Amino acid sequence: MQDTLLIVEDQFIEANNLKLILLKADYHVLPIARSVDDALDIIERQVPDLVLLDIFLKGERTGIDLAHILKARGIAFVYLSANSDKRVFTAAKLTGPYGFLIKPFRERDVLAMLDIAWYHHSQKAIVKESTGTQKDSVVTAARSREFKKIVGTSEALQAVLRELGTVAATNVPVLLLGESGTGKELIARSIHELSTRHTSKFVIVDCATLPPNLIESELFGHEKGAFTGAVDKRIGKFEQANGGTLFLDEIGELPLDLQVKFLRVLQEMEIEPIGGKRRKVDIRIVAATNRNLEEEMANGKFRLDLYYRLNVFPVQLPPLRERKTDIIHLATHFLEVQTVRLGKPIRGFSEEVKKTLISYHWPGNVRELENLITRAILLCQGDEIREVQIPTSQPAKGTQDDQKVKTITENERDHILAALRQCNWKIYGPGGAAELLEINASTLKSRMKKLGI
């Protein structure tokens, strides 16, 4: 049975060219609509499987207005123009399209986007079906146990947990978005533990720290003798995760040539080790990034087709400064864990310290809080933490005599924080903190992790 498409476009030549491409690909195409009213009249007679929708149309109503109607009726749609106006693009994106097709239309781009749209639509259907069937008491109990590992009661965090409860039991790819230190790895592990794959491996790949000349071998493996220095066979991360979950941290750092190969893995679920034959794999992908992938696409650094393959179920993790009510819960949790590990019986925090922790803006998020609490435990001389060394790039008030001299580590941390603030927290690429500090981006990230940033 042919898939039925509706083109909503007021420019006849562009609409007709698009129709010819679709007919050639054996799609059933409804009459072309030039306005929202035209489109609704056609839909009343026959509901299409997918609508290709321009943003600006004849009449008072726009494609964005029609998109809201389509979404309410459960009809999939792809926009036919990514307008350069940021406000318009943002409004279009909020309607939840399955993609954007840039004019002028090229046949291969049209067919590739349709392939992505069908995939996207089928995965959303899986999530919807899963939401209706997750009533089992065993599933509910497992979810309750797993979520207890994620500390906090704020509404921002609870919203994330509700999303995880919806998607975890499926095989749908998940894209975790958020600043560094917000706990993306912990969330990814929870998704794995709540899935049917929890008895298999959870494999982590940090794309930002992989040497460029070894990325392909690390991900896909190689056969013995495949290249100079390949003295043994190597099993890649994809194959290691077979049957389980592969967590790709900092997916935005993946080079473009590897993005193409990674896309094929997502499409075909097969890998090709260097010097070896293609083989099937069965994996669930969870990816994470602190980059704005839409900006990366605009700059030609991230493939649009890969973005939409990964962006089936995005989850935005809130920064710690938006989870003020969770700060003391987290600090207490880290205190309990680290006092046992370090063998220092400390009962809690003074009220002054609690106020300090809540008022700080936490640029390094949960990871920074954990490192700060560990340091405070090591320096604490009594049974209560009465002082925490909150980082600051500003000179302390008071006379020169009563100012504390900072350690080299503290100075390095403050220097990196100052650079990050100046670069609006951008680490990589032109205008990033790595360029400003004149160091390799991977080295900077390594230092940030060590310093709790």
Side-chain angles (χ1 to χ4, degrees), residues 7-15 18 52-57 79-83 100-106 109-110:
I7 300 171
V8 186
E9 165 66 75
D10 63 348
Q11 300 297 318
F12 174 77
I13 293 177
E14 291 181 336
L18 182 58
L52 300 172
L53 174 63
D54 194 15
I55 292 178
F56 296 107
L57 302 165
Y79 282 113
L80 292 181
S81 62
N83 192 275
F100 289 87
L101 266 171
I102 313 299
K103 298 177 182 180
F105 307 124
R106 295 188 303 177
D109 294 336
V110 171

Side-chain angles (χ1 to χ4, degrees), residues 2-9 11-34 42 50 52-53 80 101 103-107 110-111 114:
Q2 290 177 310
D3 291 309
T4 300
L5 305 184
L6 170 63
I7 300 171
V8 186
E9 165 66 75
Q11 300 297 318
F12 174 77
I13 293 177
E14 291 181 336
N16 196 55
N17 288 341
L18 182 58
K19 182 177 181 178
L20 292 174
I21 292 172
L22 299 175
L23 290 173
K24 183 181 176 183
D26 203 30
Y27 284 104
H28 175 59
V29 183
L30 297 173
I32 296 170
R34 303 183 70 185
I42 293 169
L50 180 77
L52 300 172
L53 174 63
L80 292 181
L101 266 171
K103 298 177 182 180
F105 307 124
R106 295 188 303 177
E107 182 176 358
V110 171
L111 299 181
L114 288 175

Side-chain angles (χ1 to χ4, degrees), residues 36 53 106-108 132 151 163 180 189 204 210 232 280 292 304 356 361 370 385 388-389 398 401:
V36 173
L53 174 63
R106 295 188 303 177
E107 182 176 358
R108 66 179 184 182
V151 178
E163 290 184 306
S180 292
R189 195 176 290 276
I204 302 172
L210 291 173
D232 292 302
K280 289 287 184 180
N292 185 325
L304 181 142
T356 301
H361 63 286
E370 181 178 13
I385 292 179
V388 286
Q389 296 182 348
D401 290 338

Side-chain angles (χ1 to χ4, degrees), residues 93-132:
K93 189 178 67 172
L94 289 174
T95 61
Y98 287 164
F100 289 87
L101 266 171
I102 313 299
K103 298 177 182 180
F105 307 124
R106 295 188 303 177
E107 182 176 358
R108 66 179 184 182
D109 294 336
V110 171
L111 299 181
M113 179 50 70
L114 288 175
D115 179 54
I116 292 168
W118 299 130
Y119 174 79
H120 211 68
H121 193 53
S122 66
Q123 298 299 296
K124 283 287 180 70
I126 291 171
V127 172
K128 187 175 181 180
E129 182 182 347
S130 173
T131 304

Side-chain angles (χ1 to χ4, degrees), residues 246-261:
L246 184 66
F247 175 49
L248 291 159
D249 198 9
E250 301 302 349
I251 188 68
E253 305 305 316
L254 205 62
L256 280 169
D257 58 334
L258 264 297
Q259 290 178 28
V260 176
K261 295 186 177 182

